[in-house]
Amino acid sequence: MRPLFALLLPLAVFGSTVLEGLDRAFGGLDRLREIFRRAQELLLLGGVALALLGSLVFIASWALSHARRASDHSRPWFSRAVLALAYVPLLLTAVAAGGLFVPGLAPFILKAFALAVAIAAVVWCLALGLLIAGGSRRDLGRGRRALILAGTPWYCLVVYMATFL
């Protein structure tokens, strides 16, 4: 806490001098605001691209999962557990979407998306493990459904972040 205080003390004492110096150095604070706005737009565009890439990974893994053939060995407990876990990111995405319409949930939009994306990554790994291990047609169907459901936060995150562009 002391280093933060040590950094803020000169700013408080010599604040107007520092701001005047910044104003002269950058040719006005409007120029500095423009630089920050452009940097924010670039970061947002990169975030949209990253979310879009994540959603494409989910869709591609779902499409490739159809190449897996069913076997005689069934894994019902594993496939049911993976499918049940896939509904958690879906529900968290619903909470994030509710934040757009219910003002009380608005502070939880990004938190819900972050948690949904993290859980979706775990579900994706488990669903791929299920598809690699194989199972009956019903087990593979549950794994495919889990992949699509776990991708939901990524799809919605792309749309949500694109609204800021």
Side-chain angles (χ1 to χ4, degrees):
M1 197 64 175
R2 286 185 201 169
L4 180 63
F5 181 71
L7 287 173
L8 292 178
L9 183 64
L11 185 60
V13 174
F14 305 107
S16 62
T17 310
V18 170
L19 288 177
E20 287 174 11
L22 283 174
D23 192 33
R24 281 189 224 127
F26 289 106
L29 290 178
D30 292 334
R31 175 78 175 135
L32 186 60
R33 283 189 193 107
E34 179 66 23
I35 290 171
F36 282 139
R37 189 185 61 75
R38 285 185 183 173
Q40 183 182 15
E41 286 176 0
L42 285 174
L43 288 173
L44 186 62
L45 188 60
V48 170
L50 182 64
L52 185 62
L53 180 67
S55 64
L56 290 176
V57 165
F58 276 88
I59 292 172
S61 61
W62 174 78
L64 290 174
S65 72
H66 288 289
R68 177 74 171 151
R69 291 187 181 193
S71 66
D72 294 334
H73 186 67
S74 180
R75 301 179 197 290
W77 62 272
F78 188 44
S79 64
R80 287 182 185 138
V82 170
L83 184 58
L85 279 175
Y87 282 102
V88 174
L90 182 70
L91 294 175
L92 286 169
T93 304
V95 169
L100 296 173
F101 305 108
V102 180
L105 294 176
F108 300 110
I109 291 176
L110 290 179
K111 294 172 187 168
F113 267 135
L115 187 59
V117 165
I119 294 173
V122 172
V123 171
W124 180 73
C125 291
L126 291 173
L128 281 183
L130 172 67
L131 293 171
I132 290 170
S136 66
R137 291 184 74 150
R138 180 172 281 170
D139 297 335
L140 295 179
R142 287 181 188 138
R144 290 182 190 113
R145 192 173 315 125
L147 282 173
I148 289 296
L149 290 176
T152 303
W154 291 92
Y155 318 138
C156 294
L157 189 61
V158 170
V159 173
Y160 177 71
M161 290 178 72
T163 60
F164 292 110
L165 289 178

